[in-house]
Amino acid sequence: MDWSNVTIDELVDALKEVEWSQPPRPLAEFFAKFTVPKTQSKWDGRVKCNMYYYRSNYFVLFSLVLVIAFIRNPFALVAVFLTALDIACLNDSFAVSLSEKLTRTVRRFSPPLAHKLRAPVSTGTRGRPLKGTVYICGRDRRIFVGALGLVTALLWWYSSAVITILGALIIGITLPFLHASFRTPNLKARLNSFREEFRAVWRGYSDA
């Protein structure tokens, strides 16, 4: 298979269809042999072949870089989580469900406080007011989202989470790219690619 003739779209489609549950390749093979590609076409084919063959290793490497970054700056992880939570609260179903879970949790420790966190009496069923306003812990959803957004913005600024995440993304993308550029594709990688290609074609004939 001439990987230099494979387009980026075809590579992406192939990565979507193949199994990602297979374990990463052994480290002895992953770091076996590195050479500088002699031509542009060989470099292009090498990168695509390695991206396909070592996809599990690259995913683990990318995840490891993110884990190390968040361990060094745990506030960045909290900032990302709160940002996702703030955005999710804009969804009515999620906001109502979150309010119910928070109220039930507080009720275990302080029933009077849980009673104060209930939505106003004038609301409809499941915390939805008749006029369409959604409440979280007895307060208008907009107040909750605004307050959480302010706290999240301060946390992003205080923890320098942008620098941490951008740095992790750059490193997590650069390392696999450098490996794919200089790792010499071995015969096993080529045979494995042919085998998976044959299986894909065979499945196509079976479906037809």
Side-chain angles (χ1 to χ4, degrees), residues 62-168:
F62 182 80
S63 301
L64 183 61
V65 171
L66 288 180
V67 169
I68 294 175
F70 286 134
I71 289 177
R72 295 188 60 185
N73 188 3
F75 287 107
L77 179 60
V78 177
V80 172
F81 172 77
L82 292 181
T83 300
L85 178 63
D86 199 35
I87 295 175
C89 286
L90 297 176
N91 179 272
D92 292 352
S93 299
F94 180 86
V96 172
S97 177
L98 176 65
S99 180
E100 293 177 349
K101 291 180 180 179
L102 291 177
T103 303
R104 285 197 300 266
T105 301
V106 173
R107 186 179 295 115
R108 298 176 183 176
F109 305 96
S110 178
L113 179 59
H115 181 75
K116 296 180 180 180
L117 296 180
R118 295 176 57 186
V121 181
S122 59
T123 62
T125 59
R126 296 181 59 81
R128 289 180 178 275
L130 298 177
K131 294 184 179 180
T133 305
V134 178
Y135 288 85
I136 299 179
C137 296
R139 299 295 182 270
D140 191 321
R141 190 250 309 269
R142 292 169 293 185
I143 299 177
F144 183 89
V145 170
L148 183 59
L150 178 61
V151 173
T152 303
L154 292 175
L155 188 58
W156 276 89
W157 173 78
Y158 173 77
S159 64
S160 300
V162 175
I163 298 177
T164 299
I165 295 175
L166 287 180

Side-chain angles (χ1 to χ4, degrees), residues 1-7 10 41-42 44-45 48 194 197:
M1 180 177 179
D2 188 1
W3 283 94
S4 59
N5 293 330
V6 177
T7 64
E10 291 173 343
S41 61
K42 288 186 177 181
D44 184 58
K48 294 173 183 176
F194 282 126
E197 182 184 15

Side-chain angles (χ1 to χ4, degrees), residues 29-41:
E29 176 187 347
F30 189 64
F31 295 106
K33 184 179 180 181
F34 295 90
T35 58
V36 178
K38 297 180 180 180
T39 63
Q40 176 71 23
S41 61

